[in-house]
């Protein structure tokens, strides 16, 4: 179950008792507040709170009060200018706080983004639920032969079934032993902070994750990318949809310049200029290494 009965009751109560406010609100984000978006088999993402909107970014850039005489088109142009020239500070004026339920191994990858405030469910204080991430068959894949940190083709047939059975049985056995070690039935029981070391990395944890928009964009640029690991990418994809509703002008600029754009080295720009002039440029005369040239060629072909 993605949400417990207690969490569902809390959400229903919060949505049933809206409070008036004088602060700026984003209508797109208001629709997302407290609603849980399912991710993977037991996970979710939900917005707990947020601050700011597209106008807040522009206001911070201009250091002024109110909308003044600027039009919406001017605001969009300003936001695109800020994104284009890497003026990040105005985007830091917007913040979002998310409640995320995710497998521990995904959380350990996610926490590498150290520019957020995080408070995680404590397995020292509470007992973790018997919920594990078990991949769908199409995501059971072999090691990539060209990428040491990625997966290759999906396993099929008996091999896929064998791996799935190992994942399920190992998770169940580890949790059975976890419960047995902390049991109070006629025995003292092991401390929860020690018993948790026996749990597998595919068990689910939860946290509150608060981050400003600039650093959230950095997270999404890396984790919503096609090369990111599937299990974290699906969370990033859902967050992208939320951000697009929250700050549509900022997200559009981000999608254009960061997600759809590319950073080019001085050598790459020089090669493009030479190609435009009709020169046949090869790796040998480009000044790039073979790896750089391969990436450059892939960029031009996409």
């Amino acid at each position: 179950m993605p949400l417990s009965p207690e969490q569902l009751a809390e959400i229903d109560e919060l949505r049933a008792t809206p409070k008036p406010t004088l602060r700026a609100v984003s209508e797109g984000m208001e629709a997302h507040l407290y609603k849980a978006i399912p991710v993977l088999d037991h996970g979710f993402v939900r917005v707990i709170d947020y601050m700011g909107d597209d106008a807040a970014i522009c206001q911070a850039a201009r250091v002024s009060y109110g909308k003044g005489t600027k039009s919406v088109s001017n605001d969009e142009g300003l936001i695109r200018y800020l994104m284009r020239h890497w003026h990040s500070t105005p985007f830091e004026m917007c913040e979002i706080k998310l409640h995320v339920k995710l497998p521990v191994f995904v959380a350990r990858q996610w926490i590498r983004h150290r520019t957020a405030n995080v408070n995680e469910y404590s397995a020292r204080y509470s007992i973790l639920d018997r919920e594990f991430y078990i991949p769908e068959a199409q995501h059971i894949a072999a090691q990539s032969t060209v990428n040491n940190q990625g997966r290759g083709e999906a396993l099929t047939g008996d091999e896929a079934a064998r791996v799935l059975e190992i994942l399920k049985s190992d998770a169940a056995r580890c949790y059975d032993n976890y419960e047995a070690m902390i049991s109070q039935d006629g025995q003292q029981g092991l401390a929860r902070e020690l018993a948790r070391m026996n749990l597998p990395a595919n068990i689910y944890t939860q946290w509150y994750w608060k981050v400003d928009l600039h650093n959230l964009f950095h997270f999404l640029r890396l984790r919503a990318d096609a090369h990111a690991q599937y299990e974290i990418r699906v969370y990033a994809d859902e967050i992208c949809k939320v951000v697009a509703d929250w700050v549509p002008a900022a997200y559009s600029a981000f999608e254009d310049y960061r997600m759809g754009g590319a950073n080019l080295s001085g050598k790459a720009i020089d090669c493009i200029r030479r190609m435009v002039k009709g020169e046949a440029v090869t790796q040998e005369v480009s000044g790039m290494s073979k790896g750089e040239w391969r990436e450059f060629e892939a960029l031009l072909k996409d």
Side-chain angles (χ1 to χ4, degrees):
M1 181 188 298
L3 287 170
S4 69
E6 293 79 11
Q7 288 171 329
L8 288 171
E10 177 192 359
I11 291 172
D12 289 341
E13 181 180 356
L14 289 167
R15 293 194 64 83
T17 55
K19 298 177 176 63
T21 179
L22 293 177
R23 70 173 186 168
V25 297
S26 165
E27 294 301 326
M29 184 63 103
E30 291 291 307
H32 286 289
L33 272 176
Y34 308 121
K35 292 181 180 178
I37 303 168
V39 186
L40 298 179
D41 47 2
H42 301 294
F44 63 75
V45 172
R46 67 183 180 118
V47 180
I48 299 300
D49 200 2
Y50 73 97
M51 180 180 74
D53 57 4
D54 280 329
I57 298 168
C58 297
Q59 187 182 77
R62 298 186 180 113
V63 195
S64 65
Y65 293 95
K67 295 182 179 178
T69 59
K70 300 299 182 181
S71 67
V72 172
S73 61
N74 284 337
D75 280 356
E76 291 178 354
L78 173 58
I79 286 172
R80 288 182 64 82
Y81 175 87
L82 296 171
M83 185 69 70
R84 187 164 65 248
H85 293 279
W86 296 88
H87 294 314
S88 60
T89 305
F91 296 101
E92 295 174 7
M93 301 299 124
C94 294
E95 291 191 341
I96 186 172
K97 180 163 64 176
L98 300 173
H99 178 192
V100 188
K101 183 176 181 182
L102 67 173
V104 165
F105 75 93
V106 177
R108 297 303 159 255
Q109 191 176 39
W110 193 313
I111 204 68
R112 295 299 302 158
H113 298 266
R114 301 184 296 277
T115 49
N117 304 115
V118 185
N119 193 50
E120 187 175 359
Y121 183 92
S122 174
R124 297 183 66 196
Y125 180 79
S126 302
I127 298 173
L128 290 170
D129 294 330
R130 185 191 282 266
E131 289 183 319
F132 309 95
Y133 168 63
I134 303 297
E136 295 180 0
Q138 66 266 33
H139 299 302
I140 300 289
Q143 176 64 42
S144 170
T145 57
V146 296
N147 183 353
N148 290 333
Q149 64 177 10
R151 63 187 75 178
E153 295 183 359
L155 300 179
T156 58
D158 292 343
E159 179 69 358
R162 180 183 73 87
V163 171
L164 277 171
E165 179 55 34
I166 290 173
L167 289 172
K168 293 176 183 178
S169 61
D170 278 0
R173 183 173 63 254
C174 286
Y175 195 89
D176 287 343
N177 290 333
Y178 168 70
E179 280 191 315
M181 286 189 287
I182 60 177
S183 172
Q184 300 299 311
D185 299 331
Q187 60 188 26
Q188 189 173 7
L190 185 66
R192 293 168 185 170
E193 67 177 20
L194 290 172
R196 63 180 172 170
M197 74 173 109
N198 198 55
L199 292 169
N202 65 333
I203 196 165
Y204 274 84
T205 186
Q206 300 184 41
W207 62 29
Y208 273 26
W209 193 68
K210 183 172 73 71
V211 65
D212 66 61
L213 183 59
H214 164 60
N215 285 299
L216 177 58
F217 278 153
H218 179 67
F219 171 85
L220 295 176
R221 184 178 67 82
L222 295 175
R223 302 307 183 180
D225 184 86
H227 299 95
Q229 182 173 341
Y230 167 78
E231 284 77 14
I232 196 169
R233 188 172 73 245
V234 289
Y235 283 92
D237 287 343
E238 293 301 332
I239 295 172
C240 280
K241 297 173 187 176
V242 171
V243 177
D245 289 338
W246 171 28
V247 283
Y251 185 80
S252 176
F254 163 73
E255 199 172 34
D256 192 10
Y257 288 112
R258 299 291 176 265
M259 299 290 277
N263 293 324
L264 296 176
S265 68
K267 291 178 181 178
I269 292 173
D270 177 64
C271 286
I272 291 175
R273 287 171 177 159
R274 290 158 64 186
M275 290 174 177
V276 169
K277 292 177 181 178
E279 182 179 341
V281 181
T282 64
Q283 184 265 319
E284 289 75 15
V285 299
S286 68
M288 300 186 203
S289 67
K290 290 182 179 179
E292 288 176 301
W293 181 256
R294 184 167 57 248
E295 293 173 5
F296 176 66
E297 279 192 315
L299 181 65
L300 296 179
K301 290 176 182 177
D302 283 346

